[in-house]
Amino acid sequence: MEITAETRTDVTVVSISGTVDSGTAVALASTLRAHAENGGSHLVADLTHVDYMSSAGLRALLETVKEARQRGGDLRLASVQPNVLRVLDLSGFTKILKVFSTVAAAAASFTA
Amino acid sequence: MTEPAPLRLAMSGVATPETLEAIQAFVVEGCRKAGADEAATFDFRLAVDEACTNVAVHGYAGGGPGPIDVVLESDGARIRVSITDRGVPFRPELVAAPDLDAEAEDRLPGGLGWHLIRNLMDEIEYHSGPEFGNRLVIARQLRS
């Protein structure tokens, strides 16, 4: 798994690629937490290149969205691949997280 | 297109993070050889990964990581995967179903792995015994 982040105005886009499982979710959670804590509580997770996510990844997303919302922000997801979207759906995460088809739409939703 | 042939593949290891990663690759490769479609391959990868992670995190909690054996079989129509370990027996009936309607603030992080296994597979059996340890068998069709 690889993670890169880019802050645009007041939205931080965290791009994740590869596999999010029990071996990588801790690194993802700590990266997302760091961005949420450092003032960038408007977070977009770009999942274009995430081909696999297990419940460990869901926990990382849950932890982050709680942290971001406590700080008045949010974590929103963009460009989720079909199999990963199915996991989010089965777990009820599409009810608690806003999902957008593109990063641009997710980023723009913070200023709408 | 030829009909998928019967298949049996096995791997054994010690339930470390590296083995969990290797098991994912083993399952994906096995599903492809069995002729599974992409969704079924993903479902088996995830269900087996969740089960094996539970073994590593809970089954072998407190002691060193112990043995884990994975067998993938296909009869050409269905894939069946059995996962055997020697850790603390799992009690599926004690795993609380996650509240899928709760707000994010009220959602608890646990129970999602087993919830996913139950939703992705259409056959689940679990047995514990002194001869073989704990064995989870999961199965579904290899095409959606």
Side-chain angles (χ1 to χ4, degrees):
Chain A
M1 182 192 69
E2 289 181 16
I3 309 172
T4 57
E6 184 190 348
T7 300
R8 308 170 184 178
T9 327
D10 69 340
V11 178
T12 300
V13 178
V14 180
S15 302
I16 306 149
S17 62
T19 290
V20 183
D21 60 11
S22 58
T24 58
V26 173
L28 175 61
S30 67
T31 301
L32 289 172
R33 173 175 286 272
H35 285 291
E37 287 174 351
N38 293 331
S41 59
H42 288 180
L43 294 173
V44 172
D46 176 4
L47 302 184
T48 308
H49 299 293
V50 172
D51 60 352
Y52 177 80
M53 184 178 289
S54 72
S55 65
L58 299 178
R59 281 194 291 275
L61 296 181
L62 182 62
E63 188 183 310
T64 306
V65 74
K66 286 181 179 179
E67 178 73 29
R69 285 180 186 171
Q70 274 177 8
R71 293 169 181 271
D74 200 7
L75 168 69
R76 296 177 184 175
L77 307 183
S79 190
V80 186
Q81 298 309 299
N83 282 323
V84 174
L85 188 60
R86 203 153 49 87
V87 175
L88 292 169
D89 222 10
L90 280 174
S91 307
F93 273 50
T94 47
K95 292 179 190 163
I96 57 177
L97 286 166
K98 289 182 179 169
V99 180
F100 296 84
S101 56
T102 64
V103 172
S109 72
F110 282 106
T111 52
Chain B
M1 190 178 151
T2 55
E3 283 299 306
L7 176 79
R8 185 181 191 279
L9 300 168
M11 77 164 276
S12 296
V14 173
T16 60
E18 293 75 22
T19 300
L20 296 181
E21 204 179 322
I23 289 171
Q24 286 184 45
F26 166 82
V27 170
V28 169
E29 182 63 18
C31 286
R32 283 190 183 137
K33 283 182 178 165
D37 65 15
E38 197 200 328
T41 300
F42 185 92
D43 291 358
F44 274 104
R45 178 183 182 183
L46 182 53
V48 174
D49 184 28
E50 295 291 353
C52 293
T53 300
N54 278 343
V55 169
V57 174
H58 302 297
Y60 290 124
I68 189 162
D69 304 310
V70 182
V71 177
L72 184 150
E73 294 170 285
S74 172
D75 60 6
R78 290 172 67 76
I79 292 176
R80 178 183 302 261
V81 178
S82 73
I83 299 151
T84 309
D85 69 271
R86 291 271 171 189
V88 176
F90 173 58
R91 299 279 303 276
E93 71 278 13
L94 296 184
V95 180
D99 181 358
L100 303 182
D101 295 320
E103 295 295 324
E105 293 68 24
D106 302 321
R107 282 289 297 260
L108 300 172
L112 281 172
W114 186 242
H115 169 77
L116 287 170
I117 294 170
R118 280 191 302 225
N119 278 275
L120 297 171
M121 296 290 128
D122 59 23
E123 186 185 330
I124 300 173
E125 291 170 31
Y126 183 82
H127 302 287
S128 289
E131 328 78 54
F132 56 83
N134 314 305
R135 182 171 297 150
L136 174 68
V137 180
I138 56 177
R140 60 155 282 180
Q141 293 190 332
L142 54 79
R143 292 181 184 281
S144 301

